[in-house]
Each structure stands twice: as C-alpha cells, then as structure tokens.
Amino acid sequence: MNKLLRGITVLGLTGAVLLCSCTTNLGPETLPSITTATETTIETEPTETEPTLPPEATEPSSVAVVTDSIVENEGTLSVSGTKIVNSEGEEVVLKGMSTFGIQNCEGFFTEEVVKTLAEDWGCDVLRIALTGDKDIEGYLKDPDKYFDMVCKICDLCIDQGIYVIVDWNVAYYENADETKEACVDFFTRLSAIYSDSPNLIYEVNNYPLFYEEPDEDSDEVPNEWEDLIKPFATDVINAVRENNPDCIVIVGVPNNGLDVNAVSESWLEFENIIYGCRVFSGSNKQEMRDNISLLLDEEACVFITEWSFCTEYLKGGIFRNESEKWSLFLEANGISWCSVGIGSDIDNDTNALLLNAENYTDAQKYGGHWPDGLLSDAGLYARELLLSEPSAQIDTETTEPADEETESTEDSYAEDGEDDDDEE
C-alpha cells in the first residue's frame, strides 16, 4: 500500500487535536480588559493580543508511516547483475537521503532525526558524506573526530534498522597518494568494526579524481578511470574486503556518471560492485539516462548516490517534470537512489538544503518529526518521492523554470558552485 496514504489519516487526527489545544491555552493578555463603568468612562472595544507561536505549534509534526525495519526484512544485501538483492535473492530498491559533508552537520543526526527519516519519511538508507580533501575540514584534518562522528551515525542507523552508505568524497589528483592512504586507513578501521553488520555499504569515491591540465609541451592527459579512479578504488576495496569479503562497494563513474565507455572497457574485477552516479535534474537529462542504460545493458548495477532536483550549481528551482522523468526511469530499471542533502547549516539555496533554515531552532531541528513549515520545497518534494509510487508523481500541469532564467542563475553562481560542491 502506498506509504504516503498510510499516514494521511494519522496526520489529520494529529492536526485536529493540536489546533484544538492551541485555542484553549491563550494567556491572560488575550482576554478583554475590564473597566468599572462610571459617568466619565468612555467605553472602548476590547483588544486582544495575538500570541506569537513557533512553527511547530501552528501545524502538526510528522508521524511514523513506516514502522517495519528494512534490514530485518531484507537482511544482507548483494549484487546480482543489474540488481541489488536481499538474503533470499529477491530484488531490493533502496530509497533514502544523503547528508551534505558531515563537517557541516555536526550534532544534527540525533536518534530522533534518524527515526524521522526512517519512519516519517520512509528512508531505507542514509548516506553519510565524509570529506577526503586535506584543504577542507574533514578526515585528513582530524581523523579521530570524524571517524567517531561517522560511527555514531552508523550506530543510529543500525539501531533504527536501516541501511547506511558511508561515502568518501575523493579529493584531487595532486593529493592522490595522501588521499588514498587516508581513505584506506578510514575504511580499514570502519570495516573492522562493522564486519558483521548487514547495514553497511561502502562508497569509496563519490567525486571523480580531478587532474591538473598537462603542461603546454606535453599532450599526455591521464585517463580518469583507468589511471586514477580504478587503481584508487582497487586499493581501498582490497582493504575493505580484508575485513568484509562480501560487502557491497560503490565506485563513482567519471564525469558524474556520463563517461560510461571508460568503465565498460575496463571493469573492476570484484564481486558485489555498484557503479555510482550523481544526478542534477536541471542539468542531467535524457543523455545521462541513455548512458546509464548503456551500463545496464552491460549488466552493471547502478546507484544514484546524490540526486538534486535543481541544476549542478544547486540553483534554478525544482525541475519537477525532469525529476519525475528520472523517478519513472529509476523505478522502471530498479535503480536505488539518495536525495541530497540534509543536515547542513551552510548558507545555500533551498533547492539543495532540505530544511528551511529561517524557520527552525536547534531544538526543532535536532528533535526531528518536522512539520511541513520547517521543510524547504525540495524537502517536501523529496519526502513525496520517498513515500509515493511513481504513478502518483506525474503532474502534467507542472512546468520547468524558464531556460533564460536558469542560464542566468547558473552564470551568476558558477564561481561559488565549485566551493559548494566541495563541501557536500
């Protein structure tokens, strides 16, 4: 049964009780003033002062609509051809949320927040993005701090009974050796602790490894997959498989998943490998869907580990029509996905930040069970996708933002876009 419909009745009853309770608790300042009448008294209309109520007092908080544990139901996952399968060999499609870089999410992922994402939003999986760039606050700057932070979130997901993807955001080619050493260290430690956990999925590189332009007197340009990503991933996977021989590992495809030819000409020689792509609905359209179809034709398993409904510059509004095309494509092909990103306080466009920073306090944010007023438009849409079947998502009246408006937005944001991408 549609997960969203299961929660409508509960939400309606909750809202009715809450609204009634608000009207019976008005303070004395809202009562009419009483004046003893005399011959000189001039009567005036009674005045009332409207109380200022925080958002959670004006609308119902979200409630659980999914109470089953997906890990308890599906068990240890593996890869069979283009599909993720459960312990019985049956197809599983994971749908969930991704964090921004956890250096910007410190303290956000409490027990109630993880419970909200799992039960109120219907998340099967939470993806944790850990920065592997030595120039940005993250594992290379403070390994113990960020290792402990990742472990705490993993433990919350395990207790809640959902899957958890731990992602290493790869840094740059000029730091490749240092980055790989730190990445191997991180995943070795993590896989040793969670070697027996069916919840963990390891994403060893989200961003492709960028490389410097060749010198003017040289025509040699590294092959991004063969020379950079594949050897990097191979060393990290070997380290993980020492502790967990059968775990699922996600490896990012070059150019956000567009360069599928490089991968198909030189596959990773491991079992239980998934190829990860990033999708921006406003920027990645039919060409990218066609490229993913090519990977599927080659019997590769694909996971959209970051799905934003806007452009690659995190601007331009929600491209709902294109997002619905993506939703139908992903569902038709049994492709799992995570919408990005939740948990960050960085000043950014609400197309990407799924909570509405202007309307919530820390207590509301960390307490979870967010009312609709505390969600951005993208947050509301992400929850809709998580709780709805694709057939319920088609809206023929919806139109895309105007092309000229989107182009001007992208141009104005291009300089800052690289920095924001680095922080995810």
Side-chain angles (χ1 to χ4, degrees):
M1 185 174 69
N2 187 295
K3 290 190 270 188
L4 181 59
L5 292 179
R6 297 205 300 262
I8 291 176
T9 302
V10 177
L11 286 170
L13 291 175
T14 305
V17 171
L18 184 57
L19 290 173
C20 290
S21 65
C22 289
T23 62
T24 59
N25 291 289
L26 297 176
E29 71 277 7
T30 66
L31 301 176
S33 58
I34 300 175
T35 305
T36 303
T38 65
E39 292 183 358
T40 58
T41 299
I42 300 175
E43 291 189 15
T44 60
E45 292 291 332
T47 59
E48 292 187 359
T49 302
E50 291 292 335
T52 300
L53 300 176
E56 77 276 17
T58 62
E59 57 181 321
S61 298
S62 65
V63 296
V65 294
V66 179
T67 55
D68 293 342
S69 163
I70 185 169
V71 176
E72 184 176 332
N73 290 338
E74 308 294 354
T76 301
L77 301 178
S78 58
V79 175
S80 177
T82 63
K83 308 297 183 184
I84 299 174
V85 297
N86 64 14
S87 55
E88 302 297 323
E90 300 167 333
E91 179 182 348
V92 176
V93 178
L94 301 178
K95 301 177 183 179
M97 298 299 303
S98 173
T99 73
F100 272 91
I102 60 170
Q103 73 274 11
N104 296 309
C105 305
E106 190 167 352
F108 177 82
F109 291 99
T110 65
E111 179 181 354
E112 287 302 312
V113 164
V114 174
K115 183 176 182 180
T116 298
L117 292 172
E119 297 184 2
D120 301 10
W121 287 42
C123 288
D124 303 319
V125 59
L126 177 65
R127 176 178 177 270
I128 307 169
L130 174 64
T131 298
D133 187 343
K134 73 175 185 178
D135 297 324
I136 297 176
E137 182 66 25
Y139 189 79
L140 272 74
K141 285 187 177 293
D142 197 337
D144 289 340
K145 173 184 175 180
Y146 288 99
F147 185 79
D148 289 346
M149 191 183 300
V150 168
C151 288
K152 287 176 182 177
I153 302 174
C154 286
D155 291 342
L156 290 173
C157 292
I158 291 170
D159 291 343
Q160 186 61 42
I162 63 175
Y163 294 100
V164 55
I165 298 171
V166 180
D167 159 59
W168 180 271
N169 276 258
V170 173
Y172 301 98
Y173 177 54
E174 58 266 28
N175 304 323
D177 290 340
E178 184 178 4
T179 298
K180 183 167 67 174
E181 181 180 351
C183 188
V184 168
D185 173 69
F186 170 75
F187 279 114
T188 298
R189 297 170 67 189
L190 194 73
S191 59
I193 292 175
Y194 296 103
S195 59
D196 296 326
S197 173
N199 304 69
L200 269 286
I201 297 171
Y202 303 90
E203 184 178 357
V204 298
N205 73 313
N206 171 43
Y207 287 101
L209 283 166
F210 299 105
Y211 52 82
E212 294 178 334
E213 292 295 327
D215 296 333
E216 292 182 2
D217 57 350
S218 173
D219 294 329
E220 183 178 353
V221 178
N223 179 302
E224 192 170 16
W225 173 256
E226 187 68 30
D227 298 334
L228 305 177
I229 298 177
K230 188 178 179 181
F232 181 100
T234 297
D235 287 350
V236 180
I237 293 169
N238 282 328
V240 171
R241 293 284 172 83
E242 284 290 321
N243 295 317
N244 193 333
D246 301 317
C247 64
I248 289 179
V249 176
I250 301 174
V251 179
V253 175
N255 195 18
N256 294 339
L258 289 173
D259 191 3
V260 300
N261 290 330
V263 178
S264 62
E265 291 173 0
S266 180
W267 299 106
L268 285 159
E269 297 178 2
F270 296 94
E271 299 294 324
N272 290 326
I273 295 297
I274 297 177
Y275 293 91
C277 302
R278 293 191 297 160
V279 169
F280 301 89
S281 294
S283 302
N284 307 125
K285 303 184 181 182
Q286 191 58 46
E287 178 188 2
M288 188 165 188
R289 289 190 286 271
D290 291 342
N291 283 347
I292 291 174
S293 294
L294 292 175
L295 279 175
L296 298 177
D297 289 343
E298 296 285 345
E299 289 296 301
C301 186
V302 176
F303 199 124
I304 307 302
T305 57
E306 287 189 11
W307 181 14
S308 293
F309 311 128
C310 50
T311 70
E312 62 183 317
Y313 300 110
L314 307 182
K315 289 286 186 177
I318 297 175
F319 286 71
R320 183 179 287 262
N321 278 348
E322 199 62 36
S323 294
E324 287 165 352
K325 291 177 184 178
W326 271 109
S327 180
L328 290 169
F329 173 81
L330 298 176
E331 188 71 22
N333 290 283
I335 297 175
S336 299
W337 55 266
C338 286
S339 177
V340 65
I342 196 163
S344 174
D345 282 337
I346 61 175
D347 183 19
N348 207 324
D349 192 280
T350 54
N351 301 321
L353 296 182
L354 301 184
L355 292 180
N356 191 344
E358 295 181 356
N359 286 348
Y360 63 69
T361 64
D362 284 349
Q364 295 166 331
K365 176 176 66 174
Y366 302 144
H369 308 289
W370 309 292
D372 289 357
L374 300 188
L375 303 181
S376 69
D377 289 343
L380 291 168
Y381 186 54
R383 190 183 64 184
E384 176 187 335
L385 291 174
L386 288 163
L387 292 173
S388 300
E389 297 298 329
S391 58
Q393 296 162 10
I394 298 300
D395 179 5
T396 57
E397 298 299 319
T398 304
T399 58
E400 303 290 3
D403 290 343
E404 59 269 18
E405 180 181 341
T406 303
E407 289 175 4
S408 63
T409 303
E410 290 181 6
D411 291 341
S412 64
Y413 193 67
E415 242 179 64
D416 297 330
E418 292 182 2
D419 294 335
D420 287 326
D421 277 351
D422 290 341
E423 292 177 352
E424 287 180 19

